[in-house]
């Protein structure tokens, strides 16, 4: 039996142990050792060697078996120290426990994804992992394992494996060979290694968990928390012992969390039940017409067919078009670049919402004081018509008419097509042309000629039903058609009141 001595390093206030036979020096106390040390000129303090209580002497142990060794100042040491050693000299063999604590350490990549059931952002870090007894300890550096025995606060994480679960993580990370460790406190860790040592870690941790499970007996009282969930799962779920116990009804606010849990048979049945309820709700929902009749949904102005809107309002020209024209003529005929300059899009969308959802519209309100917002809303109204002001069936005919080389014939062809337009389209176009003529009359101030207005309203009032590669060419024809109508408005509208 080796005899060990306990010494105190006064420079660092750390204990070290020396084998009196081999002169081996270590900072970690031997397992089969029980001893005390005397501080210099101070009281006696008990040392705390690891596993000391696990190796108590047998009942036949006598005080004669204790040897006292005193190291005086005459020795080769530079300082005075006094040590006492208690060595078991009984020849009878010691009874060691059957379950020895497993130890394993090494560097692993660690990511904590859940803390107490609360989901965390995954952040991989390299950690020095130590497995001893029923605990796993994570250190930032390898040297902290030694410092942790003397100073507190060096451990970054301490995990108790009692009641824990470990398995291979398949959908928690894109990395291969990743372990998922779940504790009873609701913490989840991902462990990864770049080599095949992760398989040894899995076997070792699994072995410790199984040993603790057998040693602690039934774990029916231990509960595991699922990640990103407030629902508690029992480890003995599915055991025959629990089949007799009826499940407690879940609160209503927890039912929505089932969709976020891991896939299982219960989750699948719950999803099917929710899906069937949604189908029944959709099948029983009222139609759009019913909601409109009850006044729950108001008929919109933007995006409505021109004929439908005019029929609903009992007129041939939409009320919103008239209001915009009146507002522009009241305060915007002299505005530079009228209809060419864009207004604030957010304010235009706000105006659109008011038009669609409110009964009364007052464009004289201060929030619509920018005339470019009103002109922008009017152009948006024409652009969002399901069918443009010049219907699709007339587009090719207007293009063919504008291609005519004879100017007189060109005007007559356009006149004939304008007169063929549906009543709402014809009257709305006539009112709009009358308004644009007032803008042209002040072209020296607002710098908007018939050509400029043709460029603005060409693609706004007419476009082909199907987009083709000739879009740029068609745009030129669109501009020329509007320019021609503005220039020959008297001839085209048969001297109608403008």
């Amino acid at each position: 039996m080796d005899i060990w001595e306990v010494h105190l390093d006064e420079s660092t206030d750390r204990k070290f142990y020396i084998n009196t036979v081999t002169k081996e020096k270590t900072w970690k106390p031997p397992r089969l050792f029980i001893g005390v040390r005397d501080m210099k000129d101070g009281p006696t303090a008990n040392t705390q060697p690891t596993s000391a209580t696990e190796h108590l002497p047998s009942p036949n142990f006598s005080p004669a078996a204790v040897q006292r060794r005193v190291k005086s100042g005459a020795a080769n040491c530079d300082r005075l120290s006094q040590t006492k050693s208690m060595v078991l000299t009984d020849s009878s063999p010691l009874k060691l426990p059957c379950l020895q604590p497993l130890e394993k350490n090494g560097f692993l990549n660690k990511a904590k994804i859940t803390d107490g059931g609360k989901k965390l952002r995954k952040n991989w870090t390299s950690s020095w992992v130590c497995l001893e007894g029923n605990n796993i300890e994570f250190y930032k550096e390898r040297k902290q394992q030694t410092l942790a025995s003397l100073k507190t606060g060096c451990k970054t994480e301490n995990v108790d494996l009692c009641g824990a679960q470990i398995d291979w993580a398949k959908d928690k990370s894109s990395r291969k060979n990743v372990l998922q460790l779940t504790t009873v406190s609701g913490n989840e860790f991902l462990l990864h290694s770049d080599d095949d040592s992760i398989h040894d870690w899995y076997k070792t941790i699994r072995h410790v968990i199984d040993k603790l499970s057998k040693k602690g007996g039934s774990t029916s009282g231990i509960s595991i928390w699922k990640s990103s969930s407030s629902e508690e799962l029992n480890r003995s779920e599915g055991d025959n012992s629990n089949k007799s116990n009826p499940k407690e009804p879940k609160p209503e606010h927890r039912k929505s969390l089932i969709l976020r849990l891991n896939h299982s048979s219960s989750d699948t049945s719950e999803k099917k039940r929710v899906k069937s309820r949604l189908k029944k709700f959709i099948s029983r929902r009222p139609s759009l017409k019913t909601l409109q009749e009850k006044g729950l949904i108001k008929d919109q102005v933007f995006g409505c067919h021109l004929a439908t809107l005019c029929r609903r309002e009992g007129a041939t020209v939409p009320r919103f078009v008239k209001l915009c024209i009146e507002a522009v003529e009241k305060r915007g005929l002299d505005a530079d670049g009228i209809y060419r300059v864009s207004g604030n899009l957010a304010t235009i969308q706000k105006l659109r919402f008011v038009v669609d959802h409110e009964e009364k519209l007052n464009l004289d309100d201060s929030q619509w004081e920018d005339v470019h917002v009103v002109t922008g809303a009017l152009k948006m109204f024409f652009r969002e018509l399901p069918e443009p002001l010049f219907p699709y069936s007339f587009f090719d005919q207007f293009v063919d008419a504008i291609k005519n080389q004879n100017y007189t014939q060109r005007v007559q062809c356009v006149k004939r097509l304008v007169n063929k337009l549906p009543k709402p389209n014809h009257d709305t176009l006539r009112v709009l042309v009358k308004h644009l003529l007032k803008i042209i009359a002040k072209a020296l101030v607002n710098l908007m000629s018939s050509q400029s207005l043709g460029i603005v309203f060409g693609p706004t009032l007419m476009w082909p039903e199907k987009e083709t590669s000739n879009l740029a060419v068609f745009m030129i024809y669109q501009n020329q058609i509007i320019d021609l109508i503005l220039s020959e408005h008297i001839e085209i509208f048969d001297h109608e009141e403008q």
Side-chain angles (χ1 to χ4, degrees):
M1 182 66 65
D2 293 338
I3 300 175
W4 294 81
E5 294 180 354
V6 185
H7 295 265
L8 177 65
D9 189 346
E10 294 182 346
S11 61
T12 61
D13 194 21
R14 295 174 59 187
K15 296 180 296 184
F16 62 91
Y17 304 82
I18 298 180
N19 191 316
T20 58
V21 179
T22 62
K23 302 301 181 182
E24 177 185 355
K25 179 180 178 181
T26 180
W27 294 99
K28 185 176 182 181
R31 292 189 180 279
L32 301 180
F33 173 79
I34 303 177
V36 297
R37 63 175 174 81
D38 291 340
M39 299 288 292
K40 179 181 179 181
D41 299 330
T44 301
N46 292 333
T47 59
Q48 298 176 358
T50 58
S51 306
T53 58
E54 297 180 5
H55 310 288
L56 294 175
S58 62
N60 298 328
F61 175 75
S62 62
V66 179
Q67 297 181 357
R68 177 185 175 92
R69 297 180 57 87
V70 178
K71 192 167 185 179
S72 63
N76 295 330
C77 297
D78 295 336
R79 57 183 173 82
L80 177 62
S81 63
Q82 189 178 37
T83 63
K84 295 180 181 180
S85 299
M86 299 180 65
V87 183
L88 303 180
T89 58
D90 194 350
S91 58
S92 60
L94 296 175
K95 296 181 180 180
L96 300 178
C98 298
L99 179 61
Q100 294 291 344
L102 295 176
E103 294 188 2
K104 186 176 180 61
N105 51 28
F107 280 104
L108 288 178
N109 297 321
K110 182 203 71 171
K112 188 174 183 180
I113 60 175
T114 306
D115 185 7
K118 182 179 180 181
K119 192 172 182 181
L120 303 177
R121 178 178 295 180
K122 182 168 57 179
N123 184 21
W124 288 100
T125 58
S126 179
S127 301
W128 177 257
V129 185
C130 297
L131 171 61
E132 185 172 359
N134 62 339
N135 290 328
I136 290 183
E137 299 170 352
F138 298 100
Y139 303 90
K140 293 182 179 180
E141 298 178 2
R142 182 174 183 178
K143 63 181 180 181
Q144 285 189 341
Q145 181 186 3
T146 304
L147 297 176
S149 61
L150 299 175
K151 300 179 181 180
T152 59
C154 293
K155 301 174 184 178
T156 58
E157 199 79 37
N158 191 321
V159 180
D160 187 2
L161 296 180
C162 182
Q165 289 182 336
I166 188 170
D167 202 351
W168 294 101
K170 298 180 180 180
D171 55 349
K172 296 296 181 67
S173 176
S174 58
R175 302 186 181 188
K176 297 182 179 179
N177 299 329
V178 177
L179 294 178
Q180 180 178 350
L181 179 63
T182 307
T183 65
V184 295
S185 60
N187 297 338
E188 291 187 12
F189 300 87
L190 297 181
L191 303 178
H192 170 261
S193 177
D194 296 330
D195 51 26
D196 295 335
S197 63
I198 193 66
H199 297 279
D200 296 335
W201 277 99
Y202 174 78
K203 295 179 181 178
T204 305
I205 298 176
R206 170 64 68 182
H207 180 71
V208 173
I209 293 176
D210 294 342
K211 286 289 185 181
L212 292 174
S213 177
K214 293 179 181 178
K215 184 178 179 180
S218 176
T219 59
S220 60
I222 299 176
S223 58
I224 304 295
W225 293 81
K226 281 189 176 183
S227 62
S228 64
S229 172
S230 60
E231 184 178 358
E232 190 178 14
L233 298 181
N234 198 310
R235 280 178 54 89
S236 59
E237 185 178 352
D239 294 344
N240 295 331
S241 60
N242 290 339
K243 289 183 179 179
S244 60
N245 298 329
K247 294 184 178 180
E248 296 182 359
K250 298 179 180 178
E252 290 296 329
H253 69 277
R254 289 190 179 182
K255 290 185 178 180
S256 61
L257 299 175
I258 297 178
L259 298 178
R260 296 188 296 172
L261 301 180
N262 296 333
H263 294 288
S264 63
S265 58
S266 60
D267 297 337
T268 305
S269 61
E270 182 67 19
K271 288 181 179 179
K272 290 181 179 179
R273 187 168 63 87
V274 173
K275 197 175 292 185
S276 63
R277 287 185 176 182
L278 288 174
K279 288 181 178 179
K280 291 180 180 179
F281 171 77
I282 294 174
S283 62
R284 294 196 303 264
R285 68 177 181 176
S287 62
L288 179 61
K289 183 178 180 181
T290 304
L291 295 176
Q292 291 176 346
E293 292 176 354
K294 292 182 178 181
L296 299 178
I297 296 181
K298 183 179 179 294
D299 294 327
Q300 295 185 350
V301 175
F302 284 78
C304 181
H305 285 274
L306 185 62
T308 303
L309 180 61
C310 292
R311 183 168 56 252
R312 188 171 70 218
E313 295 179 352
T316 57
V317 180
R319 174 174 171 270
F320 176 69
V321 175
K322 293 181 179 179
L323 291 177
C324 291
I325 290 177
E326 292 175 1
V328 174
E329 292 179 354
K330 183 177 181 181
R331 65 177 189 267
L333 292 179
D334 296 336
D336 185 12
I338 188 70
Y339 284 110
R340 177 174 54 82
V341 177
S342 301
N344 184 273
L345 182 59
T347 309
I348 294 175
Q349 292 290 359
K350 184 179 180 181
L351 176 58
R352 171 185 176 176
F353 180 85
V354 172
V355 172
D356 285 338
H357 297 86
E358 295 184 8
E359 295 292 338
K360 295 182 179 180
L361 174 64
N362 183 16
L363 292 179
D364 293 331
D365 194 285
S366 59
Q367 58 183 335
W368 323 123
E369 62 181 358
D370 184 6
V371 69
H372 298 295
V373 171
V374 179
T375 57
L378 180 60
K379 290 188 294 183
M380 179 180 289
F381 169 81
F382 285 114
R383 285 197 300 267
E384 294 198 1
L385 288 173
E387 190 173 18
L389 187 63
F390 290 80
Y392 293 131
S393 57
F394 286 81
F395 181 81
D396 292 335
Q397 300 181 49
F398 273 101
V399 172
D400 293 339
I402 204 66
K403 290 180 180 179
N404 197 318
Q405 299 297 327
N406 189 301
Y407 185 81
T408 304
Q409 296 180 2
R410 186 189 313 169
V411 173
Q412 293 301 319
C413 290
V414 172
K415 174 184 176 181
R416 184 171 59 254
L417 292 174
V418 168
N419 292 331
K420 288 183 179 180
L421 290 175
K423 184 65 174 176
N425 302 64
H426 176 274
D427 291 352
T428 302
L429 177 62
R430 181 173 57 84
V431 172
L432 180 62
V433 169
K434 177 183 176 181
H435 166 63
L436 297 180
L437 290 175
K438 294 180 180 180
I439 294 177
I440 297 174
K442 292 192 175 184
L444 297 177
V445 179
N446 55 41
L447 303 179
M448 294 298 293
S449 61
S450 61
Q451 292 84 2
S452 300
L453 292 174
I455 294 174
V456 172
F457 281 94
T460 301
L461 301 180
M462 60 186 307
W463 59 85
E465 184 175 7
K466 295 181 180 180
E467 295 184 358
T468 62
S469 58
N470 298 328
L471 187 61
V473 178
F474 285 157
M475 187 174 296
I476 297 176
Y477 295 146
Q478 293 165 340
N479 302 343
Q480 292 178 353
I481 292 171
I482 301 300
D483 184 15
L484 179 63
I485 293 176
L486 292 175
S487 302
E488 301 293 339
H489 61 282
I490 298 178
E491 178 65 25
I492 292 177
F493 289 100
D494 286 334
H495 304 282
E496 295 180 16
E497 183 182 357
Q498 298 296 320

